[in-house]
Amino acid sequence: MEEEMIDAVERMKVGDKQAFDMIYEQYKNMAMRTIYLIVGNKVDSEDIVQESFIKCYQHIKELKHNEQFKSWFFHILTRTAWAYCKKKSREVPKEDIYDYFSSSVERSAADMMMEKENTTTIMAFIEQLPVKQRVVIVLYYFNEFSTKEIASILGCFEGTVKSRLFTARKSLKEVMLKAQKVKEDGCDEQILYRQRDCRSI
């Protein structure tokens, strides 16, 4: 498959439309899943993915090494998403992402491990991260890129990726602990109310 993709990239460089269609089919689901996790909106995600593939087709001759196409394409994809986030200045909305994945996008092994009852909660935590931290989390945990590959995609040092992952994990832990405390406090409050209700009977 890898050699077939490399050949398709070479053919796309000379204007082969069928080669472009082949590459599109190969990466569209992964691209859509990635962007939806970052921006959280189906319509905008579709626009970003479409724009990224157009840029890919227009600038394919700038790719020097065909075997690096995947990282090169995801570089275009994430940069387009960053531009979107900066322009819109908005965060991920609270939607039922599980339903979207199960019906519209081919699910990866990581997606299938996420049960419906906790997917929205996990995304609620991730959405609180700055966009650059959110991107490395999505690329690393959901798309299973290595830190070296992510560095190539984002155009930064591998150490920078590792630093963002470390900070993102730390932030997520703090958010989750805070949410757990709020939940526990809420349960304690409910118990107190029930005790008061019982005493009034």
Side-chain angles (χ1 to χ4, degrees):
M1 177 59 73
E2 184 176 350
E3 291 183 1
E4 190 176 2
M5 284 295 106
I6 292 174
D7 178 65
V9 171
E10 184 61 34
R11 288 188 286 115
M12 189 169 72
K13 284 184 175 181
V14 295
D16 190 326
K17 183 64 167 56
Q18 289 185 336
F20 173 78
D21 292 341
M22 178 181 174
I23 290 171
Y24 175 80
E25 290 299 323
Q26 176 69 21
Y27 292 108
K28 66 176 182 178
N29 288 337
M30 191 177 186
M32 188 65 183
R33 180 175 63 247
T34 300
I35 297 306
Y36 192 76
L37 283 165
I38 294 171
V39 305
N41 179 284
K42 180 181 177 182
V43 175
D44 291 333
S45 295
E46 289 173 343
D47 289 343
I48 291 170
V49 170
Q50 182 179 11
E51 182 180 345
S52 297
F53 273 109
I54 290 173
K55 288 179 180 178
C56 169
Y57 186 79
Q58 293 174 336
H59 298 279
I60 187 62
K61 292 182 180 180
E62 297 174 13
L63 177 64
K64 296 180 180 179
H65 304 288
N66 293 349
E67 66 274 12
Q68 296 178 359
F69 173 81
K70 186 178 180 180
S71 294
W72 178 77
F73 171 69
F74 272 82
H75 175 76
I76 293 174
L77 189 70
T78 53
R79 291 290 175 177
T80 305
W82 284 359
Y84 162 86
C85 291
K86 185 176 181 180
K87 181 179 179 180
K88 296 294 185 179
S89 297
R90 73 191 194 192
E91 299 300 320
V92 180
K94 296 178 180 178
E95 299 178 1
D96 193 342
I97 292 176
Y98 176 91
D99 287 342
Y100 172 74
F101 282 148
S102 62
S103 63
S104 304
V105 178
E106 181 180 348
R107 298 170 63 201
S108 69
D111 297 324
M112 294 176 69
M113 291 174 63
M114 298 173 66
E115 298 294 339
K116 182 171 182 178
E117 59 268 20
N118 64 18
T119 302
T120 302
T121 302
I122 292 172
M123 290 311 304
F125 294 148
I126 294 177
E127 73 178 12
Q128 297 181 48
L129 298 175
V131 64
K132 290 187 177 182
Q133 290 181 24
R134 193 187 311 153
V135 167
V136 296
I137 286 289
V138 170
L139 292 177
Y140 187 78
Y141 288 106
F142 289 84
N143 288 333
E144 301 179 350
F145 281 108
S146 67
T147 54
K148 185 176 181 179
E149 289 173 322
I150 296 172
S152 176
I153 290 169
L154 302 182
C156 63
F157 294 112
E158 187 176 0
T160 302
V161 174
K162 291 180 179 179
S163 177
R164 289 179 186 171
L165 276 172
F166 175 81
T167 304
R169 291 191 193 105
K170 183 178 178 180
S171 298
L172 280 173
K173 183 178 179 180
E174 291 173 353
V175 170
M176 292 171 72
L177 288 173
K178 183 178 179 181
Q180 182 63 32
K181 186 177 185 305
V182 170
K183 183 178 180 181
E184 290 174 353
D185 290 345
C187 289
D188 291 341
E189 189 174 345
Q190 288 181 14
I191 292 172
L192 287 173
Y193 276 124
R194 288 174 183 173
Q195 290 176 340
R196 291 169 187 168
D197 290 341
C198 289
R199 286 198 295 267
S200 64
I201 296 176

